[in-house]
DNA sequence: AATATTGTTCAGCA
DNA sequence: GTGCTGAACAATAT
């Protein structure tokens, strides 16, 4: 489920493999995840181009391919990249592949087709058009700015954290993790939260994102005290020994520990 | 074999 | 208009 830390990990993977390489040939599945372009058009756009630089915003990865074009990758919930040498190899459920100037290949996989590959003129326009809020890592988001963006929301704090127009990059798993850490029930209405609690959530967001990016978004490497490796009903809460429950909040499955996560005080 | 899965979009509603 | 909720979508693992 690629959220900000996962996509940041993909970006670093891309940077250490395909960046600065030239595309000998690009190929995409016509029934795959192309948005607004045919498979032939996609190949024509990318053939001969060099991956010049990358930029991540929330769950979106942008690659500058020159001539005023950017290649946008979105991973949906099942997307990933695979870099490999053997031309007979491929990523499972591969939807696009780039043969690079060094003979290696970069594959884009997406088991379900919820992700997107797109050629766009400008990432900033894309971000504005999709009403994406600031990326918490890439922008210098102050607490005051965060509070102003979130404080007047009416729904649950979990829904607000997942709302990409407030802050871009948090999804189901990391919103749960951020709230777990500070002992706040995901059902809690934003309006019930005081300045202090919003500040703790803000801090928790940075702690969680920083640590999980460091661990390359691999839950097996997360600290024992994290919720994500115990994200199943009936699991023992690593913070207080309570029992992890699964509930539905804003139409999404939320995991939390009712023993130490409470509604706003 | 029915069910759960989750990011995004959008219809519908307050 | 606005913003929120819930459903739909994809298609596979369990």
């Amino acid at each position: 489920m690629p959220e900000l830390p996962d996509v940041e990990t993909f970006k670093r993977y891309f940077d250490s493999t395909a960046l600065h390489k030239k595309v000998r040939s690009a190929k995409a599945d016509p029934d795959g995840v192309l948005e607004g372009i045919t498979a032939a058009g996609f190949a024509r756009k990318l053939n001969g181009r060099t991956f010049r630089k990358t930029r991540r915003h929330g769950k979106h990865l942008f690659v500058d391919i020159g001539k005023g074009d950017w290649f946008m990758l979105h991973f949906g919930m099942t997307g990933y990249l695979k870099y490999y040498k053997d031309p007979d190899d491929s990523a499972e459920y591969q939807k696009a592949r780039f043969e690079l100037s060094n003979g290696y290949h970069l594959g884009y996989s997406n088991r379900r087709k919820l992700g997107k590959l797109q050629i766009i003129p400008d990432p900033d326009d894309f971000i504005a058009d999709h009403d994406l809020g600031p990326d918490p890592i890439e922008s210098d988001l102050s607490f005051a700015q965060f509070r102003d963006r979130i404080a007047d929301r009416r729904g649950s704090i979990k829904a607000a954290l997942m709302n990409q127009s407030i802050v871009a990059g948090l999804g189901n798993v990391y919103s749960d993790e951020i709230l777990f850490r500070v002992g706040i029930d995901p059902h809690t209405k934003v309006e019930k939260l005081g300045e202090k609690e919003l500040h703790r959530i803000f801090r928790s967001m940075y702690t969680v994102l920083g640590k999980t990016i460091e661990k390359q978004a691999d839950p097996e490497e997360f600290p024992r005290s994290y919720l994500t490796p115990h994200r199943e009903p009936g699991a023992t809460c690593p913070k207080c020994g309570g029992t992890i429950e699964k509930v539905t909040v804003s139409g999404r499955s939320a995991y939390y520990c009712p023993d130490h996560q409470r509604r706003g005080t």
Side-chain angles (χ1 to χ4, degrees):
Chain A
M1 325 122 249
E3 303 178 29
L4 191 157
D6 309 81
V7 179
E8 177 63 25
T9 302
F10 295 150
K11 177 187 188 293
R12 293 178 184 187
Y13 184 77
F14 189 102
D15 288 352
S16 66
T17 58
L19 191 64
H20 305 311
K21 306 234 169 37
K22 191 169 170 174
V23 177
R24 271 190 201 154
S25 70
K27 194 165 191 239
D29 181 348
D31 303 317
V33 293
L34 294 180
E35 178 78 9
I37 194 168
T38 63
F42 182 79
R44 214 178 305 124
K45 270 286 186 192
L46 278 146
N47 288 344
R49 299 293 187 94
T50 297
F51 294 136
R52 294 154 50 127
K53 70 177 170 210
T54 59
R55 171 179 170 190
R56 184 190 55 72
H57 189 97
K59 303 171 189 172
H60 296 266
L61 179 60
F62 303 97
V63 184
D64 181 357
I65 57 170
K67 299 186 183 177
D69 292 318
W70 288 74
F71 174 33
M72 192 287 290
L73 301 90
H74 188 274
F75 296 89
M77 54 180 281
T78 54
Y80 67 93
L81 298 172
K82 180 180 177 180
Y83 181 70
Y84 53 91
K85 186 170 190 177
D86 182 354
D88 295 328
D89 199 0
S90 79
E92 208 178 353
Y93 305 105
Q94 184 169 274
K95 296 287 181 266
R97 146 163 156 164
F98 308 90
E99 187 193 345
L100 306 172
S101 46
N102 62 354
Y104 279 69
H105 301 80
L106 184 73
Y108 167 89
S109 163
N110 210 314
R111 182 153 53 77
R112 296 174 212 168
K113 299 188 202 166
L114 290 180
K116 279 185 173 60
L117 297 179
Q118 208 170 339
I119 303 296
I120 61 165
D122 181 58
D124 289 316
D125 290 346
F126 182 93
I127 289 161
D129 291 346
H130 289 76
D131 196 23
L132 298 177
D135 181 284
I137 302 289
E138 296 299 313
S139 73
D140 297 317
L141 182 68
S142 68
F143 170 63
Q145 290 169 323
F146 174 76
R147 183 236 294 130
D148 289 349
R149 302 186 72 86
I150 205 169
D152 61 348
R153 297 287 161 159
R154 285 186 242 113
S156 68
I157 182 61
K158 179 174 169 66
L161 289 175
M162 287 195 296
N163 185 331
Q164 302 298 297
S165 70
I166 297 175
V167 155
L170 304 178
N172 207 16
V173 171
Y174 290 95
S175 58
D176 280 354
E177 190 69 74
I178 289 165
L179 295 172
F180 177 81
R181 189 184 174 72
V182 290
I184 292 171
D185 184 321
H187 300 94
T188 310
K189 301 287 184 200
V190 176
E191 65 206 34
K192 297 284 184 194
L193 293 166
E195 183 99 350
K196 254 188 180 166
E197 284 166 314
L198 286 177
H199 192 249
R200 285 167 54 219
I201 290 168
F202 177 74
R203 295 275 303 273
S204 177
M205 172 171 76
Y206 280 98
T207 306
V208 167
L209 292 177
K211 178 59 73 178
T212 57
I213 287 170
E214 178 194 320
K215 299 300 182 187
Q216 297 177 86
D218 179 358
E220 291 185 10
E221 298 295 322
F222 291 179
R224 284 227 179 85
S225 61
Y226 273 43
L227 169 67
T228 307
H230 313 274
R231 216 168 176 276
E232 52 184 313
T236 301
C237 171
K239 272 184 122 61
C240 74
T243 304
I244 302 300
E245 272 188 21
K246 179 189 170 191
V247 292
T248 298
V249 179
S250 305
R252 291 273 93 122
S253 59
Y255 292 80
Y256 80 118
C257 171
D259 285 2
H260 85 270
Q261 288 180 263
R262 289 180 285 273
R263 306 204 185 197
T265 52

